[in-house]
Amino acid sequence: MKHLHRRDFLTRSALATAAMATPRYGFSSLVKADEYVEVVTTHGRLRGARNEGVTIFKGIPYGGRVSGDRRFRRPAPLAPWTGVRDALQFGSPAIQAPRRNEPDPAEDCLFLNVWTPASDNRKRPVMFYSHGGGFVGGSGASGAQDGANLARNFDVVVVETNHRLGLLGFLYLDELAGADYAESGNMGMLDIVAGLKWVHNNIAQFGGDPSNVMIWGESGGGAKTSCLYAMPEAAPYFNKASIESGPGVRMLPKDVAAETTARLLKELNIAPEDWRKLLDVPAAGLLAAQNKLPPVPPFQEKSNPHSQARRDYSGFGPVVDGVVLPHHPFDPTAPAISRNKPLLVGWNEDEYTFFAWQSKDTEFAKLDFEGIQKKLEPQYAQDASKIVDTYRKENPNASAPAIFVAISSITMMGLGSVDIAEKKVKQGGAPVYLYNFGYKSEKKIPGTDYALGTPHAMDISFKFNNELPPRDGSAPTESYFGGNRPERFAASRHFAELWTTFARTGHPAAKDVPFWPAYNFNTHPTLRIDSTCEVIDNRFRQELAMWRSIGEL
């Protein structure tokens, strides 16, 4: 067991995606239908299924082929179809390990899903979600992010895409392969932009407003949202954003991306001048090679990008290539291109407990305060004692494991979130709202008496309003993460209503939730989201001051 810092995040975040594809929130292969609904799109007619007040369209193609001679390039044009195409089954996710309750992964994966109250041209807000899983896993069909309850209960249209991941989405060939492969290091992000363009051209037919689109995402999806917020090609297609437990302040520099490409070629025994042989390697072979390279997190450290600590890895994610991604999303400043677009950003209070649960780490629950300091010293050296002392002083009744969880959680997701909020305020444009999700699950981490609390990824089912009593009036079943307490239903309602109101108006608000002021440098307000919500001014003031003093913020 080791202290989980941001650089350790990618491997664990892929596990988060796997955990979300569980039977508790799983989908059958076909939509259950009370009736079928047809919609005309720019490429042909689609048939979706209407059930319990929501119309669902699954597996809509939004781009053409990305295999064969289109590998590592922009998609082939999407060919129109004749007749009516069924949109009743999810499309293939990107190449990765097989996903439960989903089609087999495939290289051609450009499909999206739509949940809408009705295809009636009413111009509802559109919530365009990017899934988690770092940049190597996940799908727009992940279980907990079913969009039906958001559409049904809050009158919004929800859209989720599949897009290229891993080396098929982010292999940097710009310096090796010439003009035809320019932008190759950001193909996965450009796929998402293609999905946004599809929404712009078609969503009115599904009851959505193409001029009122919110981009949002959790974990790796938050990092993707951070990139979209800074991408000129995405800018015309959304007007507000939410970055949840995935603060993508910095992305891969070109030199690190080029080194990753060199390591991949070496792994495959391909000389650089023979790079075209990559086009002939089966996708399964590329995935196997990808899995042999140590991963990188979906956001980069604040330290010098040329230091050995920063270059001791290889992996795949968006590249700051100066064109598709002109600069780091939030370094040195918030992106000017999105100056006038409101932003939500925040994290879960106990992010770390998810990773402890996934990796079967029970040792953290046995730590004493001396043990915490020893675990922090390899990363923070002489500052380790200062970190522990600050957290003990500010949390005098907390146990040693609770202090360790607090430190690990804020270094993973909190510091980057605060950094983004502060840079957005300094920009002087649209408001930014900072939050912490704090509903506490009573479920214990197996092998310990330590409760999950508010782990990484638990927010997904809450903000999608999928923590609800059964519609048939039967007794509620245990939530996958959230436990058994009925208070979770109120927390889910608050979270979902805040986000859908933000999508509609640009200001988050909900019934029985206090007014949420924009983040500012006078009161530093943070909304704590729970069954009862609270605005907390200057939250973590001393802890953040300490992190600044040692150069981590």
Side-chain angles (χ1 to χ4, degrees):
M1 179 189 66
K2 63 178 180 179
H3 171 57
L4 186 64
H5 202 256
R6 281 170 281 182
R7 67 170 55 95
D8 302 306
F9 174 72
L10 184 58
T11 302
R12 307 293 185 87
S13 72
L15 292 172
T17 304
M20 290 289 89
T22 60
R24 171 63 182 87
Y25 294 110
F27 297 98
S28 62
S29 60
L30 294 173
V31 181
K32 182 173 66 174
D34 297 330
E35 61 177 314
Y36 295 100
V37 176
E38 293 185 7
V39 166
V40 177
T41 72
T42 51
H43 287 79
R45 186 176 290 271
L46 292 169
R47 179 186 290 116
R50 187 159 182 82
N51 182 53
E52 297 183 338
V54 178
T55 306
I56 305 170
F57 297 84
K58 293 182 175 182
I60 302 171
Y62 68 89
R65 180 173 51 83
V66 291
S67 60
D69 64 351
R70 290 287 176 165
R71 182 180 279 182
F72 311 125
R73 298 174 61 197
R74 298 261 185 163
L78 178 61
W81 56 87
T82 58
V84 181
R85 179 182 178 126
D86 280 343
L88 304 174
Q89 189 169 3
F90 289 123
S92 296
I95 291 293
Q96 59 191 286
R99 296 180 57 77
R100 186 178 298 161
N101 295 335
E102 295 187 34
D104 289 338
E107 191 165 352
D108 289 314
C109 61
L110 302 190
F111 301 99
L112 58 77
N113 314 306
V114 177
W115 291 261
T116 180
S119 301
D120 55 8
N121 298 307
R122 278 189 53 187
K123 292 191 174 182
R124 296 171 178 84
V126 179
M127 301 181 71
F128 185 100
Y129 188 77
S130 291
H131 65 74
F135 293 108
V136 296
S139 155
S142 294
Q145 65 195 44
D146 180 340
N149 284 330
L150 277 186
R152 177 186 298 113
N153 297 332
F154 297 97
D155 199 35
V156 297
V157 177
V158 180
V159 180
E160 301 173 16
T161 69
N162 294 351
H163 41 267
R164 282 175 282 182
L165 298 168
L167 71 86
L168 287 167
F170 301 101
L171 180 63
Y172 181 66
L173 295 171
D174 296 42
E175 298 170 11
L176 199 62
D180 286 348
Y181 292 86
E183 308 171 339
S184 59
N186 286 304
M187 282 298 137
M189 293 306 309
L190 290 170
D191 289 347
I192 301 174
V193 174
L196 284 167
K197 291 178 182 177
W198 184 94
V199 165
H200 181 78
N201 293 330
N202 291 282
I203 207 65
Q205 303 301 316
F206 295 80
D209 183 354
S211 66
N212 189 14
V213 176
M214 169 185 168
I215 56 171
W216 58 315
E218 181 270 350
S219 191
K224 294 167 192 171
T225 302
S226 301
C227 291
L228 292 169
Y229 202 71
M231 288 173 58
E233 194 162 333
Y237 303 114
F238 72 93
N239 54 18
K240 55 185 76 70
S242 175
I243 299 167
E244 301 138 15
S245 294
V249 176
R250 302 165 193 86
M251 294 294 146
L252 288 171
K254 288 191 290 185
D255 62 333
V256 174
E259 181 178 319
T260 298
T261 301
R263 291 194 185 188
L264 175 73
L265 292 172
K266 184 177 181 180
E267 177 64 38
L268 292 169
N269 197 27
I270 295 174
E273 61 270 21
D274 294 329
W275 66 268
R276 284 188 177 276
K277 291 182 178 180
L278 289 168
L279 305 179
D280 299 323
V281 179
L286 293 180
L287 179 63
Q290 172 184 307
N291 290 340
K292 292 180 180 179
L293 298 180
V296 295
F299 36 80
Q300 300 301 297
E301 295 297 311
K302 189 175 182 180
S303 57
N304 186 332
H306 300 292
S307 71
Q308 185 60 34
R310 287 288 300 278
R311 295 177 63 83
D312 235 2
Y313 53 67
S314 293
F316 302 97
V319 180
V320 183
D321 62 0
V323 181
V324 175
L325 191 57
H327 45 72
H328 293 290
F330 286 91
D331 185 38
T333 62
I337 198 169
S338 291
R339 183 180 187 274
N340 295 320
K341 297 178 180 182
L343 181 65
L344 291 169
V345 63
W347 75 100
N348 299 352
E349 289 179 347
D350 306 300
E351 299 273 1
Y352 179 79
T353 59
F354 171 85
F355 303 102
W357 170 61
Q358 277 291 292
S359 61
K360 298 181 171 55
D361 171 14
T362 59
E363 293 302 310
F364 87 94
K366 305 172 186 176
L367 284 172
D368 57 20
F369 292 110
E370 182 180 356
I372 297 176
Q373 183 169 327
K374 288 181 179 178
K375 291 181 67 60
L376 297 178
E377 283 173 352
Q379 176 69 32
Y380 299 107
Q382 70 275 10
D383 292 321
S385 61
K386 184 176 183 179
I387 295 169
V388 175
D389 290 346
T390 299
Y391 272 80
R392 291 190 69 179
K393 181 178 179 181
E394 295 303 309
N395 304 274
N397 298 319
S399 67
I403 293 292
F404 180 73
V405 168
I407 293 169
S408 299
S409 298
I410 202 169
T411 57
M412 289 168 58
M413 302 296 170
L415 299 182
S417 298
V418 172
D419 190 17
I420 286 173
E422 292 182 348
K423 286 172 177 172
K424 184 66 179 170
V425 172
K426 290 176 182 177
Q427 191 176 50
V432 57
Y433 301 90
L434 184 67
Y435 77 91
N436 295 139
F437 180 44
Y439 177 81
K440 300 302 180 189
S441 171
E442 77 282 8
K443 292 184 71 170
K444 298 293 195 295
I445 297 172
T448 78
D449 289 325
Y450 199 93
L452 279 169
T454 317
H456 184 71
M458 191 174 89
D459 55 311
I460 300 174
S461 63
F462 280 73
K463 68 194 176 195
F464 275 91
N465 202 210
N466 289 331
E467 298 289 344
L468 287 172
R471 293 170 63 82
D472 61 6
S474 60
T477 57
E478 184 179 61
S479 167
Y480 187 73
F481 278 150
N484 275 314
R485 295 191 296 116
E487 290 87 353
R488 72 184 190 272
F489 304 138
S492 180
R493 174 81 190 190
H494 291 152
F495 211 149
E497 188 174 355
L498 286 163
W499 260 239
T500 53
T501 303
F502 179 74
R504 182 168 281 107
T505 69
H507 182 274
K511 182 181 178 182
D512 300 324
V513 172
F515 175 78
W516 184 357
Y519 196 74
N520 61 76
F521 290 128
N522 294 321
T523 58
H524 302 86
T526 301
L527 182 71
R528 185 179 185 275
I529 300 170
D530 201 336
S531 54
T532 299
C533 298
E534 178 186 8
V535 175
I536 304 174
D537 290 341
N538 294 303
R539 192 170 201 205
F540 306 125
R541 179 175 58 181
Q542 295 301 325
E543 294 95 327
L544 294 175
M546 178 274 299
W547 290 117
R548 284 192 180 89
S549 74
I550 65 173
E552 289 290 316
L553 179 60

